[in-house]
Amino acid sequence: MKKFLLIVLSLILALTALSAVGCGKKEVEKSNPLIVLNDFENTKDYDTIHLRGYLGRVTKNTDPNFVTRGNASAKVEVEAERYTSDTNPQSIYQECNLKAKGLNYSDFTYTSDITLDVFNTQDSAKEFKLQLVYELTGGDNLVSEIAQTYTLEPGVWTTVRYTVDRAYIPVVDGISYVKAFVMIFQDAPDNQPNPFDVYYVDNVCLYKTSVPFATESRALVHRDNVKEICSFDSLWQVKNLGLEYNASVAVAWCKDFTVDGVGASLRIDTIPGLTSYADWPSVRIMNTTFTGNSVGNSIDLTLINDNDEVVFDYYIPGEGMDNVSVTFNAMYDRLCSATAYGPRGQWNTFRISVAQINDHIEADASAGNVFYRLKNIQFGIGRGLPGVVRSFYIDNVRLVINPN
Amino acid sequence: MSKRNFLKKAFSKFLVLVLCFAFSIGMVACGNQASALSGTGTGTTAPLTVWTHDGNVEKILQKRLTGESIDYSTYYDNKEFAIGVFQNETEGSNIILTAGDKKINEYTIDFADFTAGANVLPKSAFSVYNQKYIENVPKEGIFGGGWYPDCLLPMDIAVRYKENFIDAGTHQAIYITVKPAKDQAPGVYSGTFTITADGKTYPVTAKVEVYDFMLPTEPVGEYAAGASPANLQAGELDTTLPKLEEYYNFFVDFRCSPGNVPVHGSLSYGFDAYMEEWIPQVRKYTLDERVGFINFPYATYTVDITYETEKKDANGKIVYETDASGEYVLDASGNKIPVMEDKIESHNNIHCGVWIRMLRRLTEACFDANGDGIQEDSEFVNLFEKASTYFVYFDEFSSTPGKDLTAITTLQFVVYAATLVGEEYEALWTNNGEKDLTENQQAVIDSMLSIKHRAISTSPAPLEHSGYVKKMEFDMKDNTSGSGITDWTKNYKYYDDDGNSLISFNNTKATMFITDFTECVFVTGITNYATDEARAEYHNYADNCQLYNHEKWVYTAENPKYPNVNNHLDTSLWGIQAMGWMQADYDANGNLYWSSTLCRQYVTVSPLYVDYLQDYYQTSERYRGTNGDGYVAYIGRPYETGPLAGIRLHAIRDANEDYDLLYYLEKYYEEVAQAKGLEYNDKGFKNVLHTMTADLYDGVKMIKSTTDKTIYNARKLVADLLAMAKNVGVVVDNYEIIEDTVRFTISAPADVEVKVNNLVQTGNTVGSLVEYVVTIPMSSTEKAIKITGTKGDLSQSATFNIEAVASISQAGSFGSSASVLPESINRVDVDAGKTEVITMADGENQVSAIKGTFYDYYAFDSNGTHIKISATGDIAVDYTPIDVENTVVKLTKYAYIIASESYLATSLGNFMKGADGNYYEFSRADEDYYDKTYSKLNRYVKNGEEYVVNMDEGTYIKAKDGTYFEVDLTDLDATSTMVVAYSLVDGKFVEDSKGIYMLKEGGDVTNNDDFIRPMEGEEGKRYKLGTDRHQLQFDISSLKVTEGFSLISIKVYTDKDTEITLGGQVGTQVTYAGTRYQLKAGQWNEVQIKPAALGATATRPIKLLRLRYAGVEQDATLIVGKIVVVK
């Protein structure tokens, strides 16, 4: 009888536990080194992915030959390359905040790696990329330009591992808001009547560490009276620049040449023109590059006063004097432009006060604080003679808060 | 049973109980406890209550947000499922299942063919859906928070996915549609739906009346339903062509056109690849009668195009060949045709070269389906037949400064490019200088020149008043480069009003708009159709573009809000369907909806932040601050099926079907006019239409008098009128209320006998028809007027209810009869105090009327007596009913008052003399629009001598000159009070025409010294426009009327028909509104204007308000009565 009662009690405990687990609300603990983000078993798993770039089709596969976890995987049919574009590649967007399942893994503070299994059914190797997407507090999604590239061998499963690189992640809160990652597939050949490449994806996992990412030692990130606009210390900042005049400039991320010895600077090289036409090749620091946010979100605009200054450091190689143009732009209009004039061959600091900017505002001065409308800051240098490359360096674009 | 067995069994039971307990503990821990709601919350204790409900007006919610049950017991006696439907039309209705205090675990529905005698309406004509509900915290509407019906899941899928259960205390709809075949025999078909719920059956009797008119498949009205493939990527995880086609066909089955035919990507992905896919689709859907229009794509930048050479090959197919310079192509005769696309390049981001090549490619494809060259063959299809565009520059351009000019110049290029291509082919098809185009060739060129360019404008005002550019020219023949090739970028010019050239693009406004274009579609927010004035303004704008054809469309999006019509989730389905009727009523033949499949969520708009959905059935707010906007269909992927319609999409189809039916009805009116040899105008059709619509909407607002029954009746009357016109050629030409009669004008062929209420009528021959004019006294005891046409053995009838229509007509008149007591004609002028006694038509009641005052024309007391007031316009009532104590006077459908207590004039801000000798004013409370609590007492003047201050909303003061002033505080704050002068004349509270008084800023309303007369001129003087002055001016600066105010309303009396316009001075600039007001002589006219139209801004109020002649100056007397500004 005792034995029987023991069985009964065991059953009671087991059922109680089972029923509680069955409700599926239990968070996976952070100490767990492995989180299964998606194993494509049920409808809600598919609700957490979306297509981009007219990828083709994703359906549920239950053929066990193409499953590595559970009973199903995602069958990915990538449609022919004629429909792709470089700016909108054929890809699958995997959410990290699994709202459909009540789970949120978008904080990557403790995430070191992403892994997933991909089966390439083609008879040749295919390229595959992974890329993170950040949810920024300014409201935009920012897709990191840096994708990690993999080779999927034909006819086999490949476990793809993406190692999170802090340099690619926006400074402000980026690590806490990794919204998603995208799986980018290689263009499919236009083989009619079946212009599809077929893959299977399964077992998407996040690997956790017990040690959070260390905050980088950066000189500019929101010191007391200095607010970073763009320091170029993170690679993602360089990758989100806008190049003017049909890419008549080239940029380089220079970790070995900075004004303060911290991080990196940006080098801008003009592409030689065929004529001496006096244009000003330039780059734009987009507002999404401003410390990972627009100024309006990372800096309290109401606290900006006339004495505050926009400051940056610049370096023009050579001898003699030279100048760099700086232009503050709204979405469509130029707000204000100025010239930084200084000796070549040394780092110079250019400063312009908020009052000066507002005094020289060109577009609708009545619209108030220029920073509310500021969408990008443009830096340029006059093009050289035919065949001559001109270069300059920019570093530490910042807002300096001065006493009122 | 042994003791051991007994113990074993008892223990087993105990074990089961314990296990069940344990399991339930676990479940409770999960928070998944089953609903323990009481069935009494639904108003019934039955395990399952089955009832029917059309649901067009009131949505039946599943439950409240809290899970609380909703009591719909007033409907539970509705047991019959009834639908009236046209042949080839789709209509639907609901069977509602209400669960008691226990969950219904499973239910199904079954039925057989319906029959009407020997005729069969097959089961296959029906579709059955299980209603899904979406959690909704409403932002508008009247239904409150709860789970709203929207997505419809086919019943078989609901069963397969086990969604056919009903939680205790909740309501579950089964939505059933029927679409009779085109040749389905008319008649009333009967059948039974059998609901089986947890083993018990519930029969529901059903009837479907199939009307005797076939709705053609091809839509007449156009509905653009945005269905972006981007949403398929997000929700369906499928962007393949079959899925795109599935969605496209899904929407055209709802009489909507998604616009773009199903093709991958855009032109920017490669011209040739795109054309290869796109042209066959254009061909396919041009031939598809369900499709109304096809959007043409455009490239926004240069794309990779293989340059072609042009020459005819042996088969007559053009082979392109450029000359050595590359600037010309050579036609068959060796003539040079400029390769214009090379020079045009991109303009305002539309690449005209791509556009031209697309037109050429499509032109050839019209004649060359099988690749055998440009030969006319049996496969000819005019691929331009349904062509339209929707350039991004025309999307709400009126709200973006500078965008209008961009749009204009862009479209100028695009249209001109089409012209050149047309000329190019005309030259190509012209032999030896002889224009010898075939019919098909000419049709293609004509259609190419008539591509409809859709312009989406938030308001007509910016188009009409927008400023600088008077004229814009192109000189395409101008050879500025000397190469013989026009440089497009240098040859367009702008001119201002004085003919000065404006050379800069910085002139960001343009008055000339689209008038130079071939065909345009003017799409505006539906609120621009809200009032007669607004419609006139918008139509005038569109009509001014009279050189070319155009269409007028409406659109809704996140605005307007309830009670205006829209597609939102929170409000009535009728708000959607009514748009079809409004379109017919207001002459708008299209409706554009920006998105129908939104599978993403606009979390913020500025900066734009779009998030993907992860629950496609429980996210009601997808676009800022509005529930339901952007989607009327749901993805089918989770159910392994195609797209799923929401009931709102069904309502959209209902709207489109109703519009088309009304269109076909009006066609009969046009035919009648032609047969009579008359020029057609739509007055008669509109009068007949308004007999149905007065209880269906007001402007663009829903009204409470609309019920499922009134909708049913309206459609039934349309059905009867259509059948009568189709089968026996009888058209009810007109319906007019003339004094105390209703006059029907009926037209019929000579061989048709026309009866009205079974009395054979005689008519007069007009043209090839016989016209019957039948006058029915309103006092007739017969309120249902049945008109019957009989031709041989075939009779068709239509029945009008004149009581309802008279009442409605009367009610409708109140809205426009604002110029009533006390702002009526000044008694000094016209027989003040004279009393006329008018004998009622029934000879029993009398009405005493004081000439010079106003009353509406018709009224009824509770005895059904019709009170006739025949003096034109200006009557006050002194009415003695037969039974003073017990008679209720019904003057409108809204207002009642016991005769023994008082009587009232009208319900809208009107004074009347009560039985006690006092004066009363009643007004309509607009905020209670839906409840029609209009008989609110506002003001009271005791004994005709004293005044009462701060009486409800009204306030009176006595001025130093002894006159009384009404201080209108309704919409103003204490420092900006407008005063209208009143006097006591013969004990009556009447308006003083002397002018306008205003309270000084900060003044005391009880201190007469604090009032000023800002009106220009002398007190008491009549102002004559034209001789004395051409304008009247009022200083309203103290009122601080900014654009935040919604309205300025001015009452003006004139002795001659006069046309005036209004101006406002803001700063030193006077802005005149474009609207001209026609003032009718001998009455008070109310003119209204939005302050913004007079130049008021948020920071710059109007200083001076001006009235002046809009046309030729006349020697008219203008008396300005009351000026009211409304915040």
Side-chain angles (χ1 to χ4, degrees), chain A residues 388-400:
Chain A
V388 175
V389 175
R390 301 201 66 211
S391 302
F392 66 106
Y393 296 80
I394 298 287
D395 201 359
N396 292 345
V397 184
R398 57 205 185 267
L399 182 72
V400 176

Side-chain angles (χ1 to χ4, degrees), chain A residues 4 14 39 45 65 79 108 128 146 162 213 240 256 308 316 357:
Chain A
F4 192 80
D39 55 6
D45 291 329
N65 293 318
E79 195 153 19
F108 267 36
F128 179 78
I146 309 300
Y162 179 101
F213 277 99
N240 284 282
D256 56 349
D308 296 341
I316 310 171
I357 295 174

Side-chain angles (χ1 to χ4, degrees), chain B residues 161-180:
Chain B
Y161 280 82
K162 302 189 186 308
E163 292 194 9
N164 56 331
F165 65 88
I166 313 169
D167 282 330
T170 66
H171 308 279
Q172 174 64 49
I174 298 174
Y175 187 66
I176 302 168
T177 64
V178 60
K179 182 180 182 182

